[in-house]
Amino acid sequence: GTIVRRHRIPLPPPREDQFYTIDDFNINVEVILYAQRYKIIDCDQFTKNFLRKMGVRLNPPAARPDDPYTKERQKILDSMKPLRPYERIDTLKQFLEHDRHVLRFFCVWDDPESMFHDPRELVLHYYLSDDTIDIKEIIPINSGRDAVPLFLKRDKLPKYAPTGLYQPGAITSRTVLNVFGKVVGNRGRYILDNRKTGAVHQDFYRESDLKIGEVINVWGRKITLCDCDEFTKEYYRTKYGI
């Protein structure tokens, strides 16, 4: 808050019958306000111009003293930093640019194992904010099928690898290294591996893979993209020139 409120301040003894004026102030000088000693280290440009017009010769700025707490706090923060930078996975920019932007495709899945071998109509949503996909089935009235909330819940849809799909846990966003093993106290020491040694990379479907007439593999089911809405058409026309 305000240390000294706005008023006329008397000079220190033995001149306590007088008050501070503009002539008592300059850069790199000390003033005593009610027995408290303050050092003026600098001033703004307006004050400098004002004092120069009055014929005051300004002193050079003084150095700001170091704050003991700030120095000690900085030592603690430096000791907490790792010897190498950690990985930073930042998806905030993509989320802010494409929040609530959803591509919608109308699809067909011709189920070969169905009793009547009838095609299934689906709606695929691609969320541009995080590159996830969900699929909802359109069930006609009195079709005899049970209504389900989603045909595929919202998540990233992996592409089929040449050796098939990977087991759960094989695909991770980060990899770690045990640098000590079981040598030191029978306890491991784990650090993040920026080089991703032994990491397994898997491709996921992106918006560039989706186009009308394309067939995508949804966990073993061949789904054909037949059409899309106007927002999706405008998006591909603007970004890809399609």
Side-chain angles (χ1 to χ4, degrees), residues 75-143:
K75 286 183 180 179
I76 298 175
L77 294 177
D78 293 340
S79 64
M80 295 172 61
K81 290 182 179 179
L83 299 179
R84 53 174 182 72
Y86 278 95
E87 287 183 286
R88 180 177 177 84
I89 302 176
D90 188 7
T91 58
L92 180 60
K93 179 181 179 181
Q94 179 182 357
F95 174 79
L96 294 178
E97 289 181 351
H98 298 291
D99 184 27
R100 299 184 181 182
H101 292 175
V102 182
L103 306 180
R104 183 167 62 172
F105 289 88
F106 304 102
C107 319
V108 170
W109 171 42
D110 192 2
D111 187 5
E113 298 180 0
S114 175
M115 179 183 299
F116 302 101
H117 199 69
D118 54 337
R120 311 275 286 272
E121 296 184 11
L122 309 170
V123 177
L124 183 146
H125 296 117
Y126 185 94
Y127 298 87
L128 295 173
S129 59
D130 56 359
D131 300 321
T132 54
I133 292 176
D134 70 15
I135 301 177
K136 183 177 182 180
E137 183 177 1
I138 301 177
I139 301 179
I141 300 177
N142 297 328
S143 63

Side-chain angles (χ1 to χ4, degrees), residues 108-211:
V108 170
W109 171 42
D110 192 2
D111 187 5
E113 298 180 0
S114 175
M115 179 183 299
F116 302 101
H117 199 69
D118 54 337
R120 311 275 286 272
E121 296 184 11
L122 309 170
V123 177
L124 183 146
H125 296 117
Y126 185 94
Y127 298 87
L128 295 173
S129 59
D130 56 359
D131 300 321
T132 54
I133 292 176
D134 70 15
I135 301 177
K136 183 177 182 180
E137 183 177 1
I138 301 177
I139 301 179
I141 300 177
N142 297 328
S143 63
R145 298 187 182 275
D146 294 331
V148 294
L150 285 175
F151 183 83
L152 176 70
K153 71 175 184 177
R154 180 176 174 178
D155 200 355
K156 288 189 175 183
L157 181 61
K159 296 181 180 179
Y160 261 68
T163 57
L165 292 176
Y166 295 100
Q167 294 297 322
I171 306 296
T172 57
S173 59
R174 293 181 173 91
T175 57
V176 296
L177 293 175
N178 189 346
V179 295
F180 288 160
K182 301 294 183 178
V183 179
V184 181
N186 199 23
R187 296 177 62 184
R189 172 78 177 207
Y190 298 94
I191 62 173
L192 287 177
D193 180 20
N194 285 343
R195 297 183 178 276
K196 297 184 179 295
T197 305
V200 179
H201 300 280
Q202 186 174 22
D203 293 332
F204 296 92
Y205 279 103
R206 305 292 301 272
E207 80 274 10
S208 57
D209 301 317
L210 305 179
K211 61 182 66 174

